[in-house]
Amino acid sequence: MASVEDILLKFALKNAHDYGKAQPTAVVGKMLAEMPEAKGKMKEVMQKANEIVTKVNAMKKPELEAALKHYSFEEKKKEERTVKLPNAEQGAVVTRFPPEPSGYPHIGHAKAAWLDYEAARAYGGRMLLRFDDTNPEKESQEYVDAIKEGLAWLGIKWDAETYTSDSMPVLYNYAEQLIDSGDAYICTCPQDEMRQKRGLGEGCECRDRKHSESTHMWRQMVEGNGKHEQGVLRFHGEMDAANTVMRDPVLFRIIEKRHYRQGLQYRLWPLYDFEAPIMDSLEGVTHAMRTKEYELRDELYYSILDVLGLRKPMLIEFSRLAIKNAPISKRLITPLIAEGKVQGWDDPRLPTLAALRRRGILPEAIKKFVLSFGMGKAESEPSMEALLVENKRLLDPTAMRYYFVALPVKLEVKGAPAREAKLKRHPADEKAGFRTMNARGTFFIAGADAANLKQGETFRLKGLYNVKLEGKAAGGLTGTYAGEEPLPEKKLQWVNDKALKAIVLVPRDLLRESGEYDEKSLLVEQGLVEPDGVQIKPGEVVQFERYGFCKLDDKASLQFIFTNP
Ligand code: ATP
Ligand code: MG
């Protein structure tokens, strides 16, 4: 990334070369077009421009020309800045993606991570990956690995990787500091009582507990020597605050469970509201991005940093990605897996990255799709189609073509010459060559096509010849050879009797409009692929003509997953 000075110098040299003398305002204008975020510090920019222009105007012509050679001015396509940040300084931006390793990443996480990554890149800054792993009940190494794998697959490169649970001693220190300053206290009220009082805007007796007593109780809870109470640490906020988040939120609670990374070292675990601002601040994050539903929590985020005297990152909120009839949340996906309604995190109906990948959705399509919403807060609920359209654009130029007939119906054609059909592997790519298929009178066509044929109708077996339909019976169709010309409107894909049995899993919307699970969401379609289908490699996406793009999921059973129409 070029610096402000560098860009000013480049345009000053050019301006001086073209007009004899450089003009500071002209130079600054050009510079801002290339680096709009510099508008945030105009005074500094103008001052630098004046200095640089003076220097350049003093140069002799050969010197000027020599310096100019270092720069190129051809109308280079300006890299589109998808993400603009307020108060961003070139080279000094730090963002972070902070997933909780409590499930596999989904396309919503892809949106957040891409925004974090693009924001950092746009300003020549850094992006951190931080696992917010302070709930031993929900987290595991499997999920950490899945998140890293998902991000890497998307093409996101993080500059550092940290784990909030590694900072527990630091977080404990800050908690004790809060207790000391009277900004937090131990509360032992039962949960419903706490909730009820919070609703009423009333404090409880624990609120008046002496700092020294809270400190003592806190230490016992940390040690877990059996003498501790089942309390929580609460922030001393305002019990009648209009923003209910500020009504003495819980900061720490006891969870006695083995943590996947820290083992049994800790029993008091911080909540998101406590650890997020502290970690962001300590890790040098300048722009902390999160989804809009956190907006009410901004006040708490800043209050905690205020009372601890820590540097405040800038919070930026963007809209949460939602897709029609898809569960874009671990909270919704986890029970579907637990109840066996889907077959795991990579079930092709899920919006997880593992599922989308397995299904043949390309990472570039996901990037394009999620970034198309930008940093805005506007809510929208696109359907899967929008993503599929993007994906198709990428697949179409390269996917090899094959004939596949779903729910095959036999077709016997009489009087036809034996022939070898020569079919293009790709309609637009000559170099891809041809595949061949023998035609000796016995064919299979798709069940849907067969159902639509009328007796006496003439149609073409694509790439072969015309057939006139004579009879329809339970055992199949019969027809007669009807020559080569003219080309009838109806052209059908076909396979011969050497075709291979295949199945296609067709994922459809997992949820109904009502949000309920749709048990008919996975269609399993039987069919036949032309013999040349043995060439398809595991993981390859091909186009079954007039059927759709499919990815070979399991070579042994010739199982495909329907990728895209
Ligand atoms: P989930 O409901 O899936 O558990 P979460 O927000 O609890 O979502 P985290 O692991 O805490 O999941 O999320 C990490 C980051 O990803 C957060 O900054 C969060 O705002 C963002 N994120 C999660 N879901 C979405 C979504 N649907 N759209 C955009 N960003 C999301
Ligand atoms: Mg969460």
Side-chain angles (χ1 to χ4, degrees):
M1 261 297 160
S3 67
V4 171
E5 284 93 322
D6 212 27
I7 300 176
L8 285 172
L9 177 61
K10 163 174 132 175
F11 287 115
L13 291 167
K14 174 98 164 99
N15 202 230
H17 177 265
D18 293 354
Y19 299 97
K21 282 251 169 299
Q23 286 286 339
T25 46
V27 171
V28 169
K30 294 268 190 203
M31 185 262 155
L32 289 179
E34 199 163 310
M35 197 193 257
E37 72 277 11
K39 284 180 186 146
K41 39 179 184 175
M42 279 305 290
K43 228 174 103 183
E44 210 181 304
V45 170
M46 278 311 297
Q47 197 188 330
K48 286 230 173 76
N50 282 326
E51 283 168 28
I52 289 171
V53 164
T54 310
K55 215 171 71 193
V56 166
N57 284 345
M59 284 182 175
K60 303 244 159 49
K61 200 151 183 226
E63 196 189 346
L64 190 76
E65 276 168 351
L68 205 49
K69 283 211 189 85
H70 296 298
Y71 300 98
S72 79
F73 291 91
E74 85 258 22
E75 220 30 79
K76 72 164 183 247
K77 251 209 284 147
K78 236 200 285 153
E79 203 184 312
E80 211 182 315
R81 201 187 279 275
T82 29
V83 179
K84 286 209 182 74
L85 295 176
N87 295 342
E89 198 184 317
Q90 194 63 30
V93 166
V94 180
T95 63
R96 88 293 182 260
F97 175 60
E100 182 186 3
S102 56
Y104 278 58
H106 50 63
I107 192 167
H109 293 120
K111 176 179 177 183
W114 267 120
L115 286 174
D116 291 323
Y117 182 50
E118 290 290 288
R121 270 186 0 137
Y123 295 92
R126 287 158 36 87
M127 178 196 141
L128 318 176
L129 170 60
R130 180 175 78 232
F131 289 98
D132 268 343
D133 56 347
T134 58
N135 182 350
E137 274 180 315
K138 299 204 306 199
E139 298 151 3
S140 76
Q141 185 63 39
E142 180 192 353
Y143 298 146
V144 168
D145 296 341
I147 291 166
K148 285 164 64 172
E149 194 179 332
L151 293 182
W153 175 67
L154 287 173
I156 288 173
K157 297 178 197 77
W158 52 98
D159 294 289
E161 178 183 321
T162 59
Y163 295 78
T164 301
S165 68
D166 290 349
S167 295
M168 288 292 282
V170 178
L171 294 168
Y172 278 3
N173 273 337
Y174 282 114
E176 284 167 25
Q177 196 177 316
L178 280 188
I179 301 172
D180 277 348
S181 61
D183 291 300
Y185 60 93
I186 298 289
C187 178
T188 52
C189 295
Q191 248 190 3
D192 359 324
E193 203 177 309
M194 216 187 284
R195 193 175 309 127
Q196 197 190 5
K197 290 224 163 86
R198 188 176 272 140
L200 295 169
E202 286 170 10
C204 61
E205 281 170 15
C206 304
R207 210 168 192 256
D208 305 320
R209 202 188 293 286
K210 283 214 227 52
H211 308 172
S212 55
E213 195 186 330
S214 275
T215 302
H216 177 70
M217 291 171 80
W218 164 266
R219 296 236 164 100
Q220 285 202 320
M221 284 157 77
V222 169
E223 276 169 34
N225 53 12
K227 286 185 242 149
H228 68 278
E229 300 210 43
Q230 282 305 318
V232 296
L233 184 72
R234 292 179 74 177
F235 186 65
H236 203 291
E238 253 180 276
M239 277 321 283
D240 56 354
N243 179 1
T244 52
V245 170
M246 297 307 291
R247 297 184 181 179
D248 291 16
V250 174
L251 304 180
F252 275 84
R253 79 281 201 220
I254 293 174
I255 302 175
E256 310 219 38
K257 192 137 193 259
R258 177 178 288 278
H259 186 273
Y260 78 97
R261 187 176 172 90
Q262 310 300 340
L264 295 168
Q265 275 191 80
Y266 307 110
R267 28 217 315 293
L268 259 175
W269 292 95
L271 279 115
Y272 172 86
D273 283 330
F274 182 76
E275 48 90 354
I278 295 175
M279 294 310 292
D280 284 348
S281 185
L282 297 181
E283 292 188 330
V285 172
T286 57
H287 295 75
M289 288 142 64
R290 53 186 189 176
T291 37
K292 206 174 80 171
E293 74 272 14
Y294 286 104
E295 233 161 11
L296 280 180
R297 319 199 84 81
D298 288 7
E299 190 181 350
L300 178 56
Y301 182 102
Y302 288 130
S303 295
I304 288 174
L305 295 178
D306 258 333
V307 293
L308 291 173
L310 291 172
R311 180 192 62 90
K312 286 186 237 168
M314 175 180 254
L315 282 172
I316 296 172
E317 267 106 7
F318 57 86
S319 68
R320 199 178 168 90
L321 178 69
I323 292 182
K324 223 175 250 134
N325 306 331
I328 311 230
S329 167
K330 285 173 284 185
R331 189 174 49 75
L332 299 173
I333 299 172
T334 309
L336 289 169
I337 293 172
E339 292 159 21
K341 288 176 172 160
V342 296
Q343 280 143 21
W345 289 98
D346 66 351
D347 185 292
R349 290 165 288 178
L350 289 175
T352 56
L353 299 182
L356 295 171
R357 178 181 186 173
R358 181 174 165 209
R359 180 177 170 176
I361 308 295
L362 300 172
E364 295 84 345
I366 295 177
K367 175 182 180 185
K368 203 114 199 263
F369 174 71
V370 297
L371 284 176
S372 70
F373 305 102
M375 284 279 276
K377 288 196 216 177
E379 299 282 356
S380 68
E381 201 181 49
S383 63
M384 264 316 253
E385 307 310 312
L387 173 63
L388 296 182
V389 165
E390 204 54 67
N391 201 50
K392 181 173 175 167
R393 252 180 9 89
L394 298 167
L395 289 176
D396 199 40
T398 53
M400 291 297 132
R401 271 50 173 180
Y402 289 90
Y403 284 177
F404 167 80
V405 298
L407 304 172
V409 169
K410 200 170 189 179
L411 167 69
E412 296 282 359
V413 178
K414 293 200 186 70
R419 192 173 287 176
E420 187 166 77
K422 200 173 166 204
L423 308 166
K424 278 188 182 169
R425 290 194 187 277
H426 192 284
D429 180 2
E430 293 298 331
K431 287 198 296 286
F434 296 87
R435 66 221 202 246
T436 55
M437 186 160 40
N438 283 323
R440 303 198 195 287
T442 301
F443 303 95
F444 292 89
I445 60 172
D449 285 340
N452 283 330
L453 286 174
K454 284 182 212 66
Q455 199 138 357
E457 184 176 355
T458 298
F459 60 95
R460 189 175 189 84
L461 291 175
K462 201 167 173 236
L464 208 54
Y465 45 64
N466 298 342
V467 174
K468 184 173 174 203
L469 189 72
E470 302 293 349
K472 278 177 119 170
L477 310 178
T478 51
T480 47
Y481 174 66
E484 316 290 324
E485 311 239 358
L487 280 184
E489 193 125 307
K490 194 174 268 186
K491 299 183 195 71
L492 305 182
Q493 276 71 21
W494 53 277
V495 298
N496 64 14
D497 53 1
K498 299 283 186 311
L500 313 165
K501 272 198 181 142
I503 59 171
V504 181
L505 308 182
V506 186
R508 301 199 274 205
D509 281 358
L510 183 59
L511 306 178
R512 297 206 194 93
E513 291 286 334
S514 60
E516 280 168 289
Y517 167 72
D518 185 347
E519 46 294 294
K520 296 210 187 76
S521 48
L522 188 68
L523 181 72
V524 180
E525 202 147 54
Q526 311 281 341
L528 293 169
V529 188
E530 60 173 89
D532 204 55
V534 291
Q535 309 245 16
I536 304 172
K537 293 183 277 300
E540 182 179 350
V541 179
V542 298
Q543 188 193 43
F544 289 151
E545 286 189 34
R546 250 175 80 249
Y547 180 80
F549 293 89
C550 292
K551 178 161 169 172
L552 183 54
D553 187 52
D554 179 48
K555 176 105 180 160
S557 60
L558 221 52
Q559 168 172 292
F560 293 85
I561 297 180
F562 190 84
T563 308
N564 246 66

